[in-house]
Amino acid sequence: MEIYIWQQLTDLGAAMLLGIVCGTVYDLLRPVRLRRRHSRALTHLVDAVFVLLALLGIFLFALRIGQGEFRLFMLFGFIGGVAVYYLLLSALLRPLWDFWAEAADRFLALLWKPLAIIGSGVKKMTRLIKKYFHFLQKYSTIKRYKRDFTHIRSDILGNGGRSGHEKSKKGKKKS
């Protein structure tokens, strides 16, 4: 097996390009992490996504470019590509990523607005229905007690469910 210097230089350049791409992806995910600083779960999720994407990229790179091997000079090329990105390109591109992250944040907030309005309406309706059914439960309980009480009194007094006081009121109105 022969070692071609030109092929190794090409592989080194490809590894540097992969490092630049990984640095760009990490820099793209940075505004997402900074917007939600207090959410550790989101930070860990974004970092996990980056690590998985970087590992997938390195694995595919090793399979495709390195013919199944990830050589030491490719590792140095990858690290050099990340360093080149952060030293030369990151400062220039961060304002652009921040702008697009802000635009995406506002767009998602705009999309979320109708759902929030519907959600608050559902919440108000739920409270109103709960209050109404609670009132109906109390109302029906009172009516049931009243009905049961009048049946008990009519059985005890034998006057059809009306007390003598109610009859006397009706009698006074007629005369």
Side-chain angles (χ1 to χ4, degrees):
M1 183 167 146
E2 297 178 15
I3 297 176
Y4 296 107
I5 299 296
W6 182 252
Q7 182 64 38
Q8 287 183 348
L9 286 176
T10 306
D11 293 348
L12 180 69
M16 287 186 76
L17 186 62
L18 179 64
I20 290 172
V21 168
C22 284
T24 305
V25 169
Y26 188 77
D27 224 13
L28 280 171
L29 294 174
R30 182 180 167 271
V32 175
R33 291 176 44 221
L34 290 178
R35 292 200 182 290
R36 308 282 186 246
R37 289 181 190 187
H38 301 294
S39 175
R40 283 191 154 181
L42 180 67
T43 301
H44 294 313
L45 179 69
V46 169
D47 287 344
V49 166
F50 170 73
V51 167
L52 289 175
L53 287 175
L55 287 176
L56 180 67
I58 291 170
F59 177 73
L60 293 175
F61 176 81
L63 284 179
R64 184 81 171 171
I65 305 296
Q67 289 102 25
E69 296 178 0
F70 193 73
R71 297 181 185 99
L72 188 60
F73 71 89
M74 291 180 185
L75 177 65
F76 291 133
F78 178 77
I79 293 170
V82 171
V84 164
Y85 175 78
Y86 279 107
L87 292 175
L88 299 178
L89 300 173
S90 180
L92 296 172
L93 295 177
R94 269 194 193 159
L96 180 66
W97 306 146
D98 289 337
F99 167 76
W100 283 112
E102 178 71 25
D105 194 29
R106 288 183 186 216
F107 181 69
L108 290 175
L110 186 65
L111 287 178
W112 183 255
K113 195 79 157 172
L115 295 175
I117 291 170
I118 290 170
S120 68
V122 167
K123 189 175 180 181
K124 286 179 184 178
M125 199 63 127
T126 304
R127 275 189 269 159
L128 180 68
I129 290 171
K130 182 179 176 184
K131 182 179 177 181
Y132 182 69
F133 278 116
H134 187 67
F135 169 75
L136 283 179
Q137 182 185 9
K138 284 183 176 182
Y139 181 75
S140 65
T141 304
I142 291 170
K143 285 293 190 184
R144 190 183 73 221
Y145 285 153
K146 207 182 253 187
R147 185 186 66 226
D148 291 346
F149 182 70
T150 56
H151 285 301
I152 291 171
R153 283 199 64 173
S154 67
D155 290 343
I156 292 173
L157 297 175
N159 57 5
R162 290 194 178 147
S163 65
H165 177 71
E166 291 174 353
K167 285 183 177 178
S168 65
K169 276 187 178 179
K170 226 176 193 184
K172 286 181 183 177
K173 288 182 182 177
K174 288 183 179 178
S175 44

